[in-house]
Amino acid sequence: MLFDVKGRFLIHRIKKEEAAYKLCVVKKLSTAAKGIPVLITHDGRTIRYPDPDCKVHDTIKLDIESGKILDHIKFEPGNLAYITGGQNCGRIGIITHKEKHPGRIDKEHVKDSEGHRYATRLSNV
C-alpha cells in the first residue's frame, strides 16, 4: 500500500521476490539486558545485534521469514525519500539538505523529479 499525492491509499502490486522482505524505519537504538544492542523499528519489531552502521531514521531491508537485516539505507542527503504525511504526502524526491532546529522541529528539503523543491518535517519522511 502506498499513498497517492492526495493522501489516499493506493494499491501497488509486488512480485514474489519483493514479498519476502519489508522496509522498516529505525525509530530507536538502545541496549537491552546484559548490554545486548537492540534496534526498534516503526512497526514495533525489536531486532537484536543490528549492524553498527544503522542509525535512527535509516531504513532497513528486513527478511520477513528469518527476521534478519538484509541491507540498510542511510538517511542522508542525495538519497530517495517518500513523504508519508503532511501537505506533501505521497510525493517522492531526493533529499537535498537537512535543517536542524534545536528544541524545535527538524526540516528536510526535498526535490522531486519535476524540479519542484519543498520542505517537510522529519517525521513526515
Side-chain angles (χ1 to χ4, degrees), residues 61-89:
K61 184 176 175 182
L62 183 72
D63 183 31
I64 294 174
E65 208 167 291
S66 67
K68 302 285 184 191
I69 298 174
L70 301 175
D71 192 17
H72 78 279
I73 302 156
K74 300 297 275 180
F75 185 70
E76 59 188 16
N79 285 344
L80 204 61
Y82 181 70
I83 311 301
T84 58
Q87 184 79 25
N88 298 306
C89 183

Side-chain angles (χ1 to χ4, degrees), residues 3-22:
F3 292 110
D4 66 359
V5 292
K6 293 189 176 186
R8 300 176 296 210
F9 286 116
L10 180 71
I11 303 218
H12 179 72
R13 293 196 185 274
I14 58 172
K15 298 177 181 153
K16 195 167 192 162
E17 303 86 42
E18 293 174 335
Y21 66 86
K22 180 179 181 176

Side-chain angles (χ1 to χ4, degrees), residues 46-71:
T46 302
I47 301 167
R48 296 171 47 155
Y49 299 107
D51 185 359
D53 293 336
C54 290
K55 303 293 180 208
V56 176
H57 302 300
D58 287 353
T59 301
I60 60 169
K61 184 176 175 182
L62 183 72
D63 183 31
I64 294 174
E65 208 167 291
S66 67
K68 302 285 184 191
I69 298 174
L70 301 175
D71 192 17

Side-chain angles (χ1 to χ4, degrees), residues 2-8 81-93 107-112 116-125:
L2 298 173
F3 292 110
D4 66 359
V5 292
K6 293 189 176 186
R8 300 176 296 210
Y82 181 70
I83 311 301
T84 58
Q87 184 79 25
N88 298 306
C89 183
R91 293 176 77 177
I92 299 172
K107 299 263 184 178
E108 300 295 321
H109 291 266
V110 181
K111 180 181 176 184
D112 64 8
H116 298 115
R117 296 177 182 267
Y118 52 94
T120 188
R121 292 180 175 189
L122 177 64
S123 61
N124 291 339
V125 179

